[in-house]
Amino acid sequence: MAFHDLLGVKSTWLGGWMASLNFLITCYFGVIVGWAVFYTIECIFYPLPTTHELSIVAWRKFEEESLWPVLLHFVITAACAAANWRGVGSIELAMTAMTPLHLLLLLTAFIWALTLNNAGVGLGFFFTPDWGLLGSPTLWIEALSQVAWDTGAAFGIFLVLGASMTRKTGPVKNVVWTTAINGLISLIVGVTVFCTVFATYTKVNPDGTEADVVNLLRTNGPANTGLTFIWLPILFSTMTGGRVMASLFFLAVVIATFSNYITLMNTSVQAMVDWGVKRSVAVVVIATLTFLLGVPSAVNIHVLVNQDFVWSAGLIFSGLSMILLLWKYGAKDFRLTMLHEGEDGCDWKLPGAFDYLTKYVLLLNGLALLVWWVVHTIQSADSPWYQLGNQSLMTAILEWFVIGMVLLVLNLLFVRYRARMSGCWSSLIAKQEDIPACPCGYRHDKGDSDNLIAVTDQAGERPVPDYSTINH
């Protein structure tokens, strides 16, 4: 509804695009959480695989020849629905329990990895830059996409969680601390993985070279499962106490992914709540649809690969839609009205450079990322880009087109018939009255008598919406 309130009713579909992508990613994300749960249990109760062949067999037996992925997807989704049942209260309770435990597990693994023989080799490789790579556009684009995914940019998660922030938790402080701590945790995980892989691989293969280790780190496997679910169990098996550390490692993965799953589902639930649906009903509906639409990904990993490929790339358009919002609403007006006017002085002030960075630098980043993704997809494909396939450009375009057309049709129907939706609409309006009106006039769709009409408040300082035509 942010797009509806700030840009006008005809832009509601842009928010719908963001909400749809969030929901479709949620559908297969629970399957990945289930993988981590299964491997945690396996590491606790069963011996670790000692060869690549045994590890591949264990993975295929679990993923391709059993119903465990479907069962775990159901259990994880039910648990996630329970965590979302009471809204922010239950979510905060779950996060308060999981986050310290996750941090403790990460720090334990980090310290342990640094004590391994030859860990220094991995540490040295990790912190030795190849300055020549800074001239490669691919490096910058891949780093941009990694950071965007890692921080949850364009998912809509922060738009929802931000509504529950207090004035003392200012948005500027919050985003700076969130990004900084996220980067620090990523650095800790990177050091842990590189030290572990270098130390254990050189122990198993004394004649192995640095290039061999790098190739192992780049091993993806289906749906990026190669390093995490194939190689790491083998490497852990070579150490004293390896099963214990493997169990703790996968438990940390479970906590990290499950906490993400909670916020992803909450974003979809809140989208329904904003339209007047009771939260309990919204949780049941979203959880049921998430499970049912995620079953194909649980049964066939190639479906999951396709969904991850299409909707992850679709987040680029979500990011560009946010930049469009700043262009149409006005970056300066957004900064002054949304970020500075409403806070109580506890937050940090954004400089004027924010306006240029968000309107121009981010736009350049987004367009460069989109062009690079298209070129990379065409060049790396095994078949022509116009043929359908799991990870073909044409498949992505078709799936995006279907979702886009559905949203546009729904938006058109909403514009035409929203006056008849008075029951649901009035409850929605009551929640949106505190949104500052757009000083640039985009909030009002002129020429439509049913649209929001700008009137001047008593103080004459800024326009406020008049909903009388809609209520009639």
Side-chain angles (χ1 to χ4, degrees):
M1 295 309 298
F3 290 89
H4 169 276
D5 293 319
L6 300 182
L7 300 185
V9 66
K10 295 177 182 177
S11 298
T12 307
W13 74 276
L14 290 171
W17 172 272
M18 187 177 292
S20 299
L21 260 63
N22 178 88
F23 171 71
L24 291 166
I25 290 173
T26 306
C27 291
Y28 69 80
F29 198 82
V31 178
I32 300 172
V33 183
W35 294 350
V37 171
F38 181 83
Y39 267 75
T40 302
I41 298 172
E42 281 283 302
C43 292
I44 294 174
F45 295 104
Y46 299 98
L48 298 175
T50 55
T51 65
H52 183 261
E53 290 74 18
L54 289 175
S55 191
I56 288 291
V57 168
W59 167 256
R60 288 177 176 171
K61 186 176 180 181
F62 158 67
E63 199 280 324
E64 298 177 4
E65 301 174 10
S66 73
L67 292 177
W68 276 111
V70 178
L71 177 61
L72 289 173
H73 175 49
F74 173 79
V75 173
I76 293 297
T77 302
C80 187
N84 276 285
W85 191 259
R86 288 175 46 223
V88 173
S90 55
I91 293 172
E92 187 173 28
L93 182 64
M95 294 297 180
T96 302
M98 290 190 296
T99 303
L101 177 60
H102 185 218
L103 184 60
L104 178 62
L105 292 173
L106 285 179
L107 291 177
T108 301
F110 173 70
I111 295 171
W112 168 82
L114 292 177
T115 63
L116 296 173
N117 293 329
N118 293 324
V121 179
L123 201 61
F125 180 84
F126 189 74
F127 285 104
T128 301
D130 183 351
W131 298 109
L133 289 176
L134 293 179
S136 169
T138 300
L139 176 75
W140 292 94
I141 297 298
E142 288 182 344
L144 173 64
S145 60
Q146 168 61 29
V147 171
W149 176 268
D150 202 27
T151 55
F155 278 83
I157 294 173
F158 291 106
L159 287 177
V160 171
L161 296 180
S164 300
M165 286 167 44
T166 65
R167 288 182 179 271
K168 292 182 179 180
T169 312
V172 180
K173 275 185 181 179
N174 190 277
V175 75
V176 170
W177 279 111
T178 299
T179 308
I181 294 174
N182 179 80
L184 178 61
I185 295 299
S186 297
L187 190 66
I188 290 174
V189 173
V191 170
T192 303
V193 171
F194 270 75
C195 287
T196 302
V197 172
F198 268 85
T200 53
Y201 188 82
T202 52
K203 180 180 178 181
V204 178
N205 300 279
D207 298 328
T209 64
E210 189 176 90
D212 294 331
V213 182
V214 173
N215 288 332
L216 187 151
L217 287 165
R218 289 174 175 169
T219 302
N220 283 328
N224 296 317
T225 56
L227 179 62
T228 305
F229 296 105
I230 304 299
W231 274 107
L232 281 179
I234 301 171
L235 298 177
F236 278 122
S237 70
T238 65
M239 332 168 172
T240 303
R243 273 180 62 184
V244 175
M245 291 309 303
S247 303
L248 294 177
F249 170 81
F250 282 109
L251 179 60
V253 174
V254 169
I255 295 173
T257 52
F258 184 66
S259 60
N260 287 341
Y261 196 36
I262 291 174
T263 54
L264 284 170
M265 182 178 290
N266 176 62
T267 303
S268 298
V269 169
Q270 191 61 43
M272 292 187 66
V273 172
D274 285 346
W275 284 88
V277 180
K278 290 184 178 179
R279 184 169 188 91
S280 57
V281 175
V283 170
V284 172
V285 170
I286 293 297
T288 302
L289 291 175
T290 297
F291 169 71
L292 293 176
L293 295 178
V295 168
S297 296
V299 173
N300 189 335
I301 195 172
H302 297 294
V303 176
L304 188 148
V305 170
N306 168 260
Q307 295 296 285
D308 186 48
F309 169 76
V310 172
W311 306 124
S312 295
L315 290 171
I316 301 173
F317 297 104
S318 295
L320 289 172
S321 68
M322 293 295 292
I323 299 169
L324 175 65
L325 185 150
L326 286 170
W327 269 91
K328 297 184 70 175
Y329 187 90
K332 182 179 179 180
D333 293 325
F334 185 90
R335 173 170 58 88
L336 296 177
T337 305
M338 296 292 175
L339 299 178
H340 290 176
E341 185 180 282
E343 53 93 19
D344 61 354
C346 297
D347 201 10
W348 298 330
K349 296 288 186 180
L350 281 172
F354 168 86
D355 308 341
Y356 299 97
L357 289 172
T358 50
K359 285 184 67 175
Y360 301 108
V361 176
L362 276 185
L363 178 62
L364 180 63
N365 282 346
L367 293 176
L369 182 58
L370 179 61
V371 172
W372 171 82
W373 180 84
V374 171
V375 173
H376 177 75
T377 300
I378 293 174
Q379 291 179 343
S380 61
D382 297 328
S383 56
W385 69 270
Y386 48 82
Q387 291 184 3
L388 297 179
N390 260 2
Q391 294 179 282
S392 76
L393 182 60
M394 181 55 69
T395 300
I397 292 174
L398 285 176
E399 293 188 44
W400 293 337
F401 177 77
V402 170
I403 293 297
M405 288 304 299
V406 169
L407 292 171
L408 284 172
V409 169
L410 289 175
N411 202 157
L412 288 173
L413 293 174
F414 179 51
V415 170
R416 187 176 182 85
Y417 298 108
R418 70 188 184 283
R420 301 181 185 179
M421 302 166 59
S422 57
C424 179
W425 184 245
S426 60
S427 65
L428 182 69
I429 292 299
K431 298 177 183 179
Q432 306 298 328
E433 287 181 342
D434 292 332
I435 300 294
C438 174
C440 58
Y442 278 106
R443 184 173 177 172
H444 328 299
D445 296 316
K446 298 178 181 178
D448 185 346
S449 60
D450 288 333
N451 278 341
L452 304 182
I453 302 174
V455 297
T456 305
D457 63 0
Q458 293 180 354
E461 295 177 352
R462 63 180 177 85
V464 295
D466 178 9
Y467 302 111
S468 57
T469 57
I470 295 177
N471 291 333
H472 287 312

